[in-house]
Every structure is written in structure tokens, then in C-alpha cells.
Amino acid sequence: MSDFKVTPEVELNMAQMLERYQLQDETILRRWAKLHGINSTRGFFYPGEVDLMDHAHHHIYNLGMSIGEYQSLLDRRRSNSHTSGDRNQTVATQVADEAYDAIEMLKEQYSEAVDLMGERIADHFIDELDLSVMRHLSQKVKERRALNGQAKKPNRFLQVIKAVLQPSSENTLLVPRKDDDSSLELEQHHRLG
């Protein structure tokens, strides 16, 4: 929730501004005005200028920013501006724009990470899924053959699955794995849901 004060409808003099921010020193107020290019020597501030000073007060006084940090915040926003009208934007809008830009950058980085890791995860998942399905089918075939009294007879389907599930350097039924984990070891950690 913002602690900004309501923007006045009339000009405020220096004494009113000091009271507004509960400050004792005019030089602090003049420094804040200078950051926004506001002429503080004339002794009063227009409503739009008071609004900018509210932002300076919020960031420097309430959020504990240093003058340099606040100046840097303003400079970054101004350097990103494409029109001269943007220079008079409020700091709240500037901060919101910078936050949006930061979120967009993080989303791009996340997408790149997903693209890179996603392929590896997908390969790993498919390998485990293939093994689970083969084991499941093998078990079902064995159960059915036992019911039909054919458990002792050779079955080509079971022989193929057995060949795939057995880790062997001569096994040409599967593309060789990139890592050293055996397919059986992977299966031990996998639970078919």
C-alpha cells in the first residue's frame, strides 16, 4: 500500500513542504527538488512538483534509498525513455516499468533454461517410461501365458523385451544412453502411477 499523500490542488510554500514531510532542513528538500529538475529557489511548489517530491520522500526517506541510488533510479528510467514526455513520469510509473522489464527478462531466462533442461528431462522421462511400459507388458504377457498353460514355451515378444531390459554393450535394440546409469537402476527409482 502506498504511503503517498494526496496531491494538493494549490501550490505549497517551503514551510508547508517541510511540514508535509516533517523535515527541519530546507537543504534536504532542495536536494530532492534538484533531482527532479524542480526550481526550489522560488519558494513554492506546483501540485505536479509536490507529487514528484512525494516520490522522492517515499524512496529516500521511507525506503531508505541513498540520494545516489535514487538518482540512479531516475537516470535508468530517463535513459530508457523514447520521448521527452516520459521525463515527467512519476517515479511510481518508472518503478513499475522497470519491474515489468525485469520480469520479462526473467521469463526469457526461464524459457532458455526450460529449452535446455527440458530436452534432457524429456529424454530421461521417455527412457524411464519405455522401461516401465515394457516391464508392465512383460508381466501381463507372463500372467496371461501362465493362465493359458504356455509359461514354458518361448515367446518372441518376451524375448525382445528381455533383450531390451538387460544392460549390455551389445544391445542394439535401444540407442545407447548418454550417461552410465543402467536401465535397471533407473527403473528402481521409477514408480508407474
Side-chain angles (χ1 to χ4, degrees):
M1 182 178 211
S2 174
D3 62 352
F4 295 144
K5 302 175 185 301
V6 176
T7 303
E9 295 181 14
V10 296
E11 297 88 8
L12 297 183
N13 63 32
M14 190 63 78
Q16 290 171 313
M17 292 293 281
L18 289 171
E19 184 182 333
R20 183 177 181 92
Y21 305 122
Q22 298 178 0
L23 295 173
Q24 308 299 320
D25 191 355
E26 279 186 25
T27 57
I28 293 173
L29 211 54
R30 292 184 195 284
R31 192 176 302 149
W32 295 355
K34 185 179 178 185
L35 291 170
H36 286 283
I38 297 170
N39 179 6
S40 61
T41 59
R42 65 175 179 259
F44 65 89
F45 297 85
Y46 294 111
E49 294 172 337
V50 173
D51 184 53
L52 291 174
M53 296 292 278
D54 284 349
H55 290 289
H57 172 260
H58 174 73
H59 285 81
I60 296 170
Y61 194 80
N62 293 337
L63 298 183
M65 276 187 166
S66 69
I67 291 284
E69 289 169 336
Y70 185 66
Q71 179 70 62
S72 175
L73 178 76
L74 295 177
D75 290 345
R76 279 198 313 272
R77 183 61 196 130
R78 286 173 184 153
S79 68
N80 292 335
S81 297
H82 299 295
T83 62
S84 59
D86 285 346
R87 185 175 174 135
N88 294 324
Q89 281 188 316
T90 64
V91 174
T93 304
Q94 295 169 10
V95 170
D97 288 347
E98 287 174 13
Y100 177 80
D101 291 343
I103 290 168
E104 287 300 308
M105 182 183 70
L106 287 173
K107 282 163 68 177
E108 285 175 21
Q109 290 175 347
Y110 178 76
S111 294
E112 288 174 13
V114 167
D115 288 344
L116 175 66
M117 294 306 296
E119 291 178 20
R120 295 180 191 170
I121 292 167
D123 288 344
H124 181 72
F125 175 75
I126 288 168
D127 286 344
E128 289 198 32
L129 186 61
D130 285 347
L131 293 170
S132 295
V133 169
M134 281 189 246
R135 280 196 166 78
H136 182 71
L137 288 175
S138 175
Q139 188 60 38
K140 290 296 179 189
V141 170
K142 286 177 185 174
E143 289 172 6
R144 184 173 180 113
R145 285 170 54 79
L147 285 174
N148 294 339
Q150 301 173 334
K152 302 279 185 190
K153 293 181 182 177
N155 180 282
R156 191 170 168 199
F157 179 72
L158 289 177
Q159 289 172 342
V160 169
I161 289 180
K162 187 177 178 185
V164 169
L165 294 178
Q166 287 178 347
S168 169
S169 59
E170 298 163 9
N171 183 0
T172 58
L173 295 173
L174 280 181
V175 175
R177 298 185 58 79
K178 291 178 184 172
D179 52 29
D180 295 333
D181 291 341
S182 72
S183 57
L184 293 176
E185 189 178 316
L186 285 174
E187 180 58 23
Q188 289 172 355
H189 300 293
H190 179 70
R191 299 286 179 268
L192 187 60

